[in-house]
Amino acid sequence: MTIVNETYDVIIVGGGGAGQRAALETASSGANVALISKVFPTRSHTVSAQGGINAALGNIDKGDSWECHMFDTIRGSDYLGDQDSIEYMCSQASRTVIELEHMGMPFSRNEDGTIYQRAFGGQTLDFGKGGQAHRTCPAADRTGHAMLHTLFQQNVKAKTRFFHEWFAIDLLKSGPQKVSGILAMCLETGELRVFHAKAVVLATGGAGRIYASTTNAYSCTGDGLGMVYRAGFPLQDMEMWQFHPTGVAGVGCLITEGARGEGGILRNSEGERYMERYAPIQKDLACRDVVSRSSALEMKAGRGCGPRGDYMHLDLTHLPQETLQERLPGISDLARTFANVDVSKEPIPVVPTCHYMMGGIPTNKYGQVLTQDKLGKDTFVEGLYAAGECACVSVHGANRLGANSLLEIVVFGRAVGHHINDHIGDIAHEKNAEFDASLEKALGRVGFWRQGGGGESIDEVIQDMKKIMQEDFGVFRDGKNMQEGLAKLDVVRRRLAHASISDKSLAFNTRLVSAFELENMMAVAYTTAMAALARKESRGAHSRVDFPDRDDKNWHKHSLAFEGDRASTRAVNMQPNHVDPFPLQEREH
Ligand SMILES: Cc1cc2nc3c(=O)[nH]c(=O)nc-3n(C[C@H](O)[C@H](O)[C@H](O)COP(=O)(O)OP(=O)(O)OC[C@H]3O[C@@H](n4cnc5c(N)ncnc54)[C@H](O)[C@@H]3O)c2cc1C
């Protein structure tokens, strides 16, 4: 098959909030930009974000400040977040939300016309001393939908070139630390194409699909992480996965934290509001890691609900009808459709469910992808950027605060765009022997799946991987189980080298896409397992039964995982640029 070559200034892989915000910034300043997305852009997972986006606008709490938002984010991260990045995100939050409002995003409103703000977990006033903050800006409970459609309209106006339903397969390198393009496949025709670019931006979203039970869309398979891993660059903090306390039991789809922000209460089989015991101050609005662990402990103690005691109740029955209709219409629908529950009359059965990947592709606050030389020194990968959930810039550290991710994707999507606009003049398109060699390697992978045959089906491999992740790398972890889990996972990943797909057709070959996605998920799962076993402490979402305490002396650092099972670490950046650092402290709830 002849391969067409196309050349752009910027290639963006991903049409979610991060990819579209980066595309808008670069396209509207005149760059020649192509955005590649395996799903139609407005179907990216961002569309399902419910609760809102954080910014200390102070519309409800008059004295609120971005510095306070910064403190909450650092504390929520269990001090693993990089303080320069968190400072940048929180200080940019208000102008970013106003900018979205001016682009036409239909936020919910207060009586006086300002943007409504609701309570969300882990948000406080006066640096933890002033009680619950109202900092989360919603568009009812369909905030991601409103955001993504707003950004799409702006991109159409800015003449971003969209490649809908194209699948990015691999990065193409023109040097050991330089990326100059990607290989992608058109899903409709099976055509392969080489996209040359001065800058490649990965905005491929999360990877929750490595777990058996997740709130994430089918498309969240960690493709950008797989590409980076195969290119020899590291993944960071992969042990840090957030379990959301309120996924609908047995289904996985999410009931937003906004439901508790509007007054919803978690109850056990005895009807007790158990969060009062675990987090006397923040109660149901404690950080997600705390609430998820509390629910798991309640079920373990035999106070779970239902015949098998395997879920908890989220009670909204005491909320006024107007609140349910105006602020929570989406989740009322969801509960009816997936749990057959009328939220005004009965509680919703909920269970902690894999929700968000705090780790990812390490970047600095401009979105430049970082790698590490053999001496442990940080260096940049020229021409490669990452933003959004696939990146680890690290604003969430060991635990993300609700509504900080929609903020992250627009703040750092724009930051990447700025950096590219400022530097694109210095970068050249590059096509050399190394580029040809990396194309050859990528085509080899395509050939393996298209021409190979006879091995076991990929379906078995996928199911076994998900089961191991769910059982051995969930809310609570312990060394023995993880050791066994890692050994089982090693066997499963070796099976992948002999697996095959039976569909060899070119048009809409969804099996081939699943095979590529599985390779990417396996990289994510294996690095998660390795990093989780290695981190011998409990911090944020990483909770070890055999090491229950945080160990700042040995583990206040990021973990790095490279292909070939090589591990390393990076220091946490504790040095903001404009305010004093927030020193390590105990986390209180
Ligand atoms: C149910 C749910 C509710 C949430 N609610 C909130 C909330 O209220 N507030 C909040 O702050 N956060 C929320 N989050 C988290 C937040 O929505 C996500 O972290 C964020 O939207 C991710 O955006 P993104 O742009 O990084 O990726 P995504 O929106 O996931 O987009 C990824 C893009 O990459 C493309 N892509 C991936 N792989 C490839 C490939 N190989 N080739 C081509 N294209 C590819 C996809 O097509 C897609 O366009 C929620 C998450 C979920 C799952």
Side-chain angles (χ1 to χ4, degrees):
M1 185 187 259
T2 48
I3 295 183
V4 174
N5 286 263
E6 281 204 46
T7 303
Y8 290 87
D9 291 330
V10 186
I11 297 288
I12 293 170
V13 186
Q20 290 212 37
R21 189 61 192 82
L24 181 58
E25 200 61 38
T26 42
S28 53
S29 76
N32 184 14
V33 181
L35 186 150
I36 294 176
S37 177
K38 66 179 175 179
V39 300
F40 192 84
T42 50
R43 300 181 67 110
S44 306
H45 188 63
T46 298
V47 82
S48 57
Q50 301 173 353
I53 171 170
N54 287 331
L57 293 173
N59 290 348
I60 306 259
D61 306 313
K62 293 301 169 213
D64 200 9
S65 69
W66 70 260
E67 290 89 345
C68 207
H69 181 190
M70 177 178 173
F71 167 74
D72 288 337
T73 303
I74 292 169
R75 186 172 68 157
S77 82
D78 222 346
Y79 295 86
L80 194 67
D82 285 334
Q83 297 200 6
D84 60 335
S85 305
I86 297 175
E87 175 188 49
Y88 181 70
M89 179 177 81
C90 297
S91 65
Q92 296 294 310
S94 290
R95 61 160 285 200
T96 304
V97 166
I98 305 283
E99 187 181 67
L100 286 168
E101 182 191 32
H102 290 184
M103 284 181 196
M105 181 164 159
F107 284 103
S108 299
R109 300 279 161 184
N110 293 314
E111 286 290 310
D112 64 0
T114 54
I115 294 175
Y116 170 67
Q117 297 191 276
R118 61 166 50 128
F120 242 59
Q123 304 282 350
T124 68
L125 295 169
D126 198 16
F127 302 93
K129 296 190 284 290
Q132 177 70 47
H134 298 76
R135 193 176 283 147
T136 302
C137 311
D141 57 357
R142 297 172 180 134
T143 314
H145 186 275
M147 175 189 280
L148 203 55
H149 283 258
T150 304
L151 287 172
F152 186 64
Q153 288 164 355
Q154 294 294 325
N155 268 295
V156 170
K157 184 170 149 199
K159 301 209 171 6
T160 299
R161 172 94 195 266
F162 284 99
F163 286 83
H164 311 297
E165 301 189 330
W166 278 71
F167 189 92
I169 297 171
D170 262 318
L171 296 172
L172 300 176
K173 287 164 72 177
S174 59
Q177 282 181 202
K178 184 164 165 73
V179 168
S180 295
I182 61 156
L183 175 68
M185 178 180 79
C186 173
L187 297 186
E188 190 185 350
T189 61
E191 179 203 331
L192 296 171
R193 201 174 284 188
V194 172
F195 289 87
H196 299 265
K198 295 178 177 179
V200 172
V201 181
L202 294 174
T204 52
R209 285 276 146 191
I210 66 165
Y211 284 89
S213 169
T214 177
T215 64
N216 286 193
Y218 281 92
S219 55
C220 298
T221 53
D223 296 352
L225 281 76
M227 290 188 239
V228 160
Y229 180 79
R230 282 189 296 277
F233 308 128
L235 302 179
Q236 180 169 294
D237 294 341
M238 293 308 293
E239 64 276 34
M240 299 301 179
W241 283 88
Q242 177 164 84
F243 287 77
H244 196 295
T246 58
V248 174
V251 186
C253 61
L254 181 77
I255 301 294
T256 172
E257 189 169 292
R260 280 170 288 138
E262 297 293 344
I265 290 171
L266 282 164
R267 297 188 191 279
N268 60 21
S269 58
E270 293 160 15
E272 183 206 7
R273 182 182 191 180
Y274 56 93
M275 283 314 300
E276 282 182 330
R277 256 188 294 122
Y278 293 97
I281 306 169
Q282 295 179 330
K283 301 192 182 78
D284 297 88
L285 287 176
C287 283
R288 288 178 181 174
D289 56 337
V290 178
V291 182
S292 283
R293 276 196 289 276
S294 308
S295 299
L297 287 173
E298 285 297 292
M299 288 186 267
K300 211 162 168 219
R303 290 189 290 273
C305 306
R308 288 189 297 278
D310 55 357
Y311 56 80
M312 307 310 291
H313 275 153
L314 175 63
D315 184 4
L316 310 181
T317 53
H318 53 289
L319 298 188
Q321 267 306 323
E322 315 81 80
T323 306
L324 294 174
Q325 275 161 15
E326 279 168 34
R327 307 279 190 225
L328 302 168
I331 62 113
S332 302
D333 262 7
L334 244 148
R336 197 175 311 114
T337 311
F338 291 102
N340 199 20
V341 159
D342 175 349
V343 295
S344 65
K345 299 200 177 82
E346 312 149 85
I348 313 170
V350 292
V351 74
T353 304
C354 171
H355 182 56
Y356 185 85
M357 173 178 74
M358 268 80 71
I361 304 160
T363 71
N364 63 10
K365 65 179 179 180
Y366 309 109
Q368 294 176 282
V369 171
L370 298 173
T371 182
Q372 205 179 55
D373 65 17
K374 290 273 180 293
L375 300 171
K377 194 168 155 287
D378 281 345
T379 51
F380 299 120
V381 181
E382 244 185 289
L384 186 62
Y385 294 79
E389 189 166 339
C390 73
C392 181
V393 49
S394 153
V395 284
H396 311 302
N399 173 63
R400 172 176 78 93
L401 293 189
N404 261 357
S405 176
L406 286 186
L407 178 61
E408 174 196 11
I409 64 180
V410 279
V411 166
F412 291 102
R414 187 183 55 191
V416 160
H418 280 166
H419 198 271
I420 292 177
N421 289 344
D422 290 347
H423 294 88
I424 198 123
D426 314 332
I427 310 175
H429 284 110
E430 197 106 36
K431 187 180 176 313
N432 51 22
E434 196 148 356
F435 187 91
D436 294 341
S438 86
L439 175 59
E440 209 50 44
K441 194 170 151 216
L443 291 172
R445 270 189 349 105
V446 181
F448 171 83
W449 293 111
R450 278 192 173 163
Q451 280 121 42
E456 75 169 307
S457 147
I458 54 170
D459 296 327
E460 294 292 316
V461 183
I462 295 177
Q463 295 315 325
D464 289 350
M465 174 197 71
K466 289 179 182 225
K467 187 160 178 280
I468 296 168
M469 294 312 292
Q470 191 76 25
E471 286 176 0
D472 299 324
F473 300 94
V475 176
F476 284 108
R477 299 164 172 188
D478 86 83
K480 187 169 164 295
N481 285 359
M482 287 196 288
Q483 189 79 57
E484 288 168 12
L486 185 66
K488 283 187 278 178
L489 202 57
D490 192 31
V491 174
V492 173
R493 79 166 165 166
R494 284 173 207 284
R495 277 165 50 200
L496 183 55
H498 308 286
S500 70
I501 50 171
S502 49
D503 186 352
K504 305 289 181 199
S505 62
L506 288 175
F508 279 115
N509 188 339
T510 52
R511 301 304 290 158
L512 181 57
V513 170
S514 298
F516 289 140
E517 289 177 339
L518 174 57
E519 287 186 294
N520 295 327
M521 284 195 284
M522 198 63 85
V524 174
Y526 202 77
T527 49
T528 296
M530 266 185 45
L533 182 62
R535 186 178 283 277
K536 294 191 172 48
E537 64 159 354
S538 290
R539 182 185 298 272
H542 179 63
S543 183
R544 283 190 66 152
V545 180
D546 48 350
F547 293 96
D549 299 322
R550 198 173 84 187
D551 176 0
D552 289 331
K553 188 159 161 279
N554 296 305
W555 283 104
H556 184 236
K557 53 192 175 191
H558 298 294
S559 68
L560 294 181
F562 292 82
E563 199 183 29
D565 303 348
R566 182 162 79 84
S568 184
T569 58
R570 274 185 69 214
V572 176
N573 187 323
M574 296 291 279
Q575 209 51 61
N577 294 315
H578 305 288
V579 297
D580 290 337
F582 290 94
L584 283 161
Q585 272 180 32
E586 277 299 314
R587 243 171 116 205
E588 290 162 26
H589 310 294

